[in-house]
Amino acid sequence: MFKPRGEAANVWHRPRSGRSTDIDMKNGEVVKLTDVYKTYRTGDVEVQAVRGVSLEIQRGEFVALMGASGSGKSTLMNILGCLDRPTSGRYLLDDADVSALDRDRLADIRNHKLGFVFQSFNLLPRTSARENVELPLLYGTHRLTHAQLREKADAVLASVGLAGREDHHPSQLSGGQQQRVAIARALVNDPEVVLADEPTGNLDSRTSVEIMGIFQQLNERGITIIMVTHEQDIAAYARRNVVMRDGLILNDFNVTRRLDAATELAKIAPIDSQVQV
């Protein structure tokens, strides 16, 4: 499962900007929030969605951000993803203060430093898997030829187990395969952080474990992953859980009995051996 071959096997082993290919918690903070607030106003009513959150995430961590509806986790994820700005407080991403950047600059940050994986996949329905993965490259500063775009997209698709499916459209792919395309799209620009918002929410249990297996192997290669989930069994695949309630961090702990996706998949494979992902 998720075992790259050929050139694709080398795609995620190349160090970038000093990033170690092994997990090294001494590599420093990639995310640092200090006393972050987010307040929404509707007429005379103010709603504090995030209330003074401070959080540090080291390079190479795999963090699950948890909480019930209304806990503030989605708002915090939007701030981490530079989709929204805090009302007050400071957000350092890769040592750069992004707290007060304008929309255009935030868009540049999103394209170059962040990769996104969504619950609903958010693939363009009339384009192939390859073209969906190529899309972030089209907005990059380095202009690539058509052949270079194709080569890079195909290599990343192969690395998530989709070799041979490059020309398939989303309607020709299962839910698990569509999510793999979304993961490949998130990885194609070699981001500092991958942000995954309920990535297993639309998937069956076996496919969910397979997607967690991809995340675990990416994380083992040094990629920082922040994942929003409300499912405790999915959060157990992460290395660290951050639990929110009422806009505050209620609990923050390392997962001591972490689930291993390969082991869990072996347990359910005999039952679901006929399911195609």
Side-chain angles (χ1 to χ4, degrees), residues 44-45 73 157 168 177 202 233 246 255:
D44 295 331
V45 178
K73 67 181 187 300
L157 284 166
H168 285 59
Q177 289 168 339
N202 287 342
D233 58 334
D246 298 329
V255 179

Side-chain angles (χ1 to χ4, degrees), residues 209 213 216 220 236-237 257-265:
V209 175
Q216 286 188 334
E220 286 167 7
Y237 289 97
R257 302 182 66 179
R258 188 186 185 209
L259 294 180
D260 175 71
T263 301
E264 296 305 310
L265 189 61

Side-chain angles (χ1 to χ4, degrees), residues 243-255:
V243 183
M244 294 192 68
R245 179 188 292 175
D246 298 329
L248 300 167
I249 292 178
L250 179 67
N251 204 356
D252 184 345
F253 59 92
N254 292 326
V255 179

Side-chain angles (χ1 to χ4, degrees), residues 17-193:
S17 302
R19 176 196 286 164
S20 171
T21 53
D22 298 315
I23 292 176
D24 182 357
M25 296 309 176
K26 296 180 181 180
N27 276 352
E29 301 150 352
V30 67
V31 165
K32 184 175 182 179
L33 301 178
T34 304
D35 200 26
V36 165
Y37 285 79
K38 183 61 183 181
T39 303
Y40 295 101
R41 293 178 175 84
T42 304
D44 295 331
V45 178
E46 287 191 356
V47 176
Q48 286 192 335
V50 175
R51 302 189 292 153
V53 165
S54 294
L55 176 68
E56 297 177 2
I57 296 176
Q58 305 293 312
R59 297 182 190 278
E61 283 202 87
F62 183 177
V63 180
L65 187 59
M66 303 181 65
S69 178
S71 64
K73 67 181 187 300
S74 295
T75 300
L76 189 63
M77 190 68 153
N78 286 341
I79 292 172
L80 292 172
C82 295
L83 297 167
D84 203 352
R85 288 169 288 192
T87 304
S88 63
R90 195 178 189 204
Y91 174 21
L92 297 182
L93 175 62
D94 195 27
D95 293 326
D97 192 342
V98 299
S99 310
L101 296 180
D102 62 29
R103 292 181 184 275
D104 289 342
R105 188 71 184 102
L106 287 176
D108 288 339
I109 294 290
R110 288 195 299 271
N111 194 50
H112 293 99
K113 292 186 177 293
L114 302 172
F116 295 89
V117 180
F118 303 97
Q119 177 178 343
S120 57
F121 318 138
N122 286 2
L123 302 178
L124 298 178
R126 297 184 180 181
T127 59
S128 67
R130 177 187 294 117
E131 290 166 330
N132 270 283
V133 173
E134 288 175 349
L135 191 60
L137 297 172
L138 300 177
Y139 294 95
T141 54
H142 301 291
R143 299 303 176 188
L144 302 179
T145 66
H146 177 73
Q148 290 171 325
L149 288 171
R150 182 187 181 101
E151 180 182 9
K152 190 164 187 178
D154 286 358
V156 182
L157 284 166
S159 76
V160 295
L162 288 179
R165 307 266 182 179
E166 298 90 351
D167 293 318
H168 285 59
H169 286 65
S171 62
Q172 299 172 301
L173 300 172
S174 68
Q177 289 168 339
Q178 290 184 61
Q179 193 60 293
R180 290 172 190 240
V181 174
I183 293 170
R185 181 183 58 194
L187 294 172
V188 75
N189 266 339
D190 194 16
E192 296 293 337
V193 181

